[in-house]
Amino acid sequence: MYIKKLTYHVICCIITAVLFLHVSCTTQPPTDLTKENIIPKPVSVTANGETFPLNMNTSIYTQGSSEDLDKTAEYLAGLLRPATGFDFEIIVTETAPPKGSIFLSLSDADASVGDEGYNLEITKKLVKISANSPAGLFNGIQTFRQLLPAEIEMKSKQNIEWNIAAGSITDYPVYSYRGAMLDVARHFMSVEEVKRYIDLISVYKINYLHLHLSDDQGWRIEIKSWPNLTEHGGQTEIGDGPGGFFTQEQYKDIVRYAAYRHVTIVPEIDMPGHTNAALASYPELNANGKAPELYTGTRVGFSTLATHKEITYKFIKEVFTEIAGMTPGPYIHIGGDESHVTKKEDYIPFVERVQDIVAETGKTSIGWDEISLGTLRPGTIAQYWSSAENAGNAVAQGAKLLMSPASRAYIDMKYDTTTRIGYTWAGVIDVDKAYNWDPTTLETGIGRDNIIGIEAPLWTETITNIKDAEFLAFPRLPGIAEIGWTPMSTRSWDEYKVRLGNHAKRFKAMDINYYPSKLVPWIE
Ligand code: TNX
């Protein structure tokens, strides 16, 4: 009797183990597209209950051929090849591609998806991404990428099945400007680090990278007509670090790398304050004609260009002419913040004249909100960071605002008081606070029509490398990206945090050093 019972028990254990093994080895193919965790959340998603399998026979077809289409197809193949180990041959076609393909089209999208939107149609037979522009196709690819298992982000071949849920997505952004800013002046970051940041922001459909290229602690962009800016002014940073700068070739390389990912570079030369590195490099830019020492501390607001000297404007003209020549994007950022030692009566005409100089280079100015103390040229954009009054002045002049309210969007703030790096002057900003706001209701008098977009600045006083940058940007930056992309009416923190929690596996696969906030239900 006892033996029989024992045998029965053993057999039961074996059956349970086999069943368990079976279930854990073969994950069910996903069939419900509406349950996928896409960030930023698309405008509309419907499921059809099917699954599309990606396999070694999957090719990428483009509808016709153009440089843009070829580049986009190549980008997609480059994304998919390492982890799958498949070839992803790229084939041009004028007709419908065979079963099992990925199909990219620049002719079949709905007009309603606009310049940056896309239609993603997935059946068990075909993945079709259509858009009206290469930027839209690129955005559709980012969504498709997030439908694949997180292992797609690994750099080496993974032996798993690459199934995706099928259905349709129609998607387009709320704002045309969705930005991130990286301060390479307080602590210099290398070309490779900047490229890594570009890679990471483009996953979330961020389409502008503002580079803060000069400040008191260092000048980071080679200017051939003023070589001492980098020879002298580029050799320091906060603390004892070596500083550094981008040669013009390196800057152009960054611009190209970004453009391939549909990210536009916005170069900033901050002035008339935040200029100690320039003032230290050229005595003639100082009101008293004497160059100060280089500066490696963290104070702000102590330096100013000599606003009364003509040489200052010659300098600005030559600097912006060289920068404009290397920058295909429409904007040059002129800074203008915290000019505490520039008299207001000097500051205002200075900023007005600098906007004219920028216009002469064919570009449009962006400046921190203080610039609206003066007259803004038509087209000039004010970046709201701290003063609602300044932002209101800009709106009253008919200018558009770029929204970077420090208490929400400054991702150099700590998450809580114990965060190892970061500042607290604008508060501590956990992931919910960074996500849970609406640019159109934040301040009275600032509405949808006054806003061009949103940007998350990452100042680098407290960080020295890209791993620290990742820690402050992730996971707040994907949330800011969603504010820029997804209509407020369809987003809420309670729903978002679940989607975000599902991105932990992707962050890990991408080797992102993220902050595992307790507010988020991480699924690892
Ligand atoms: C304010 S934001 C600044 C920067 C600092 C930052 C630190 C702005 C326009 N000026 O110079 O780096 O705070 O959070």
Side-chain angles (χ1 to χ4, degrees), residues 101 152 187:
S101 327
I152 197 66
H187 282 102

Side-chain angles (χ1 to χ4, degrees), residues 120-135:
L120 177 54
E121 298 289 337
I122 311 169
T123 64
K124 62 184 183 219
K125 295 186 185 156
L126 190 72
V127 172
K128 179 171 181 182
I129 309 176
S130 345
N132 300 310
S133 73

Side-chain angles (χ1 to χ4, degrees), residues 113-419:
V113 303
D115 271 354
E116 285 199 277
Y118 61 90
N119 295 110
L120 177 54
E121 298 289 337
I122 311 169
T123 64
K124 62 184 183 219
K125 295 186 185 156
L126 190 72
V127 172
K128 179 171 181 182
I129 309 176
S130 345
N132 300 310
S133 73
L137 269 189
F138 182 85
N139 289 327
I141 287 172
Q142 299 311 321
T143 297
F144 172 64
R145 171 182 192 173
Q146 291 187 20
L147 299 177
L148 283 155
E151 287 85 347
I152 197 66
E153 304 298 344
M154 308 287 280
K155 293 205 175 65
S156 62
K157 186 169 169 1
Q158 307 294 305
N159 285 315
I160 64 163
E161 286 181 14
W162 304 98
N163 293 317
I164 64 171
S168 328
I169 297 181
T170 303
D171 199 17
Y172 47 87
V174 172
Y175 296 104
S176 61
Y177 188 120
R178 303 172 304 281
M181 188 211 82
L182 189 60
D183 168 10
V184 294
R186 269 51 179 273
H187 282 102
F188 183 60
M189 300 253 180
S190 67
V191 172
E192 287 315 308
E193 288 176 307
V194 174
K195 286 182 174 175
R196 162 99 175 145
Y197 206 59
I198 292 168
D199 280 338
L200 297 182
I201 66 177
S202 61
V203 173
Y204 299 97
K205 305 184 175 83
I206 288 177
N207 61 347
Y208 284 89
L209 177 64
H210 164 186
L211 289 175
H212 184 73
L213 290 168
S214 68
D215 214 301
D216 292 317
Q217 299 87 350
W219 184 284
R220 308 298 181 208
I221 176 77
E222 177 190 20
I223 302 295
K224 301 223 195 250
S225 52
W226 294 76
N228 219 32
L229 290 169
T230 46
E231 271 166 31
H232 184 65
Q235 306 306 318
T236 45
E237 59 185 7
I238 287 175
D240 314 322
F245 65 91
F246 303 129
T247 63
Q248 295 205 346
E249 282 315 308
Q250 288 175 323
Y251 176 80
K252 288 182 205 162
D253 182 35
I254 290 172
V255 165
R256 267 194 307 269
Y257 190 88
Y260 188 62
R261 289 153 185 80
H262 295 277
V263 171
T264 300
I265 298 293
V266 178
E268 177 184 356
I269 300 296
D270 201 347
M271 60 182 67
H274 291 277
T275 42
N276 192 75
L279 297 168
S281 305
Y282 286 99
E284 59 268 44
L285 299 177
N286 293 267
N288 65 5
K290 290 201 193 102
E293 292 293 310
L294 290 167
Y295 181 69
T296 58
T298 57
R299 272 189 306 127
V300 296
F302 61 88
S303 56
T304 184
L305 291 171
T307 56
H308 289 279
K309 287 178 145 181
E310 261 326 284
I311 183 83
T312 297
Y313 300 96
K314 179 176 189 293
F315 165 76
I316 294 168
K317 173 91 196 229
E318 291 175 2
V319 167
F320 280 157
T321 301
E322 288 194 33
I323 291 179
M326 304 184 282
T327 305
Y331 302 118
I332 285 185
H333 201 300
I334 62 175
D337 58 314
E338 299 173 319
S339 257
H340 302 321
V341 296
T342 322
K343 290 199 191 97
K344 196 171 168 183
E345 65 261 34
D346 296 336
Y347 176 85
I348 289 173
F350 174 87
V351 170
E352 290 171 353
R353 192 161 166 192
V354 171
Q355 291 173 73
D356 292 343
I357 295 173
V358 169
E360 284 163 24
T361 72
K363 303 293 179 188
T364 299
S365 297
I366 306 183
W368 299 105
D369 60 47
E370 288 96 320
I371 64 163
S372 59
L373 291 168
T375 305
L376 300 176
R377 267 187 82 96
T380 294
I381 292 165
Q383 186 165 8
Y384 171 44
W385 68 283
S386 85
S387 165
E389 195 186 333
N390 288 340
N393 271 336
V395 167
Q397 297 190 50
K400 296 264 193 227
L401 297 173
L402 179 56
M403 300 295 282
S404 301
S407 61
R408 302 287 188 159
Y410 266 36
I411 55 175
D412 64 318
M413 295 300 125
K414 290 178 187 284
Y415 291 97
D416 67 24
T417 53
T418 69
T419 311

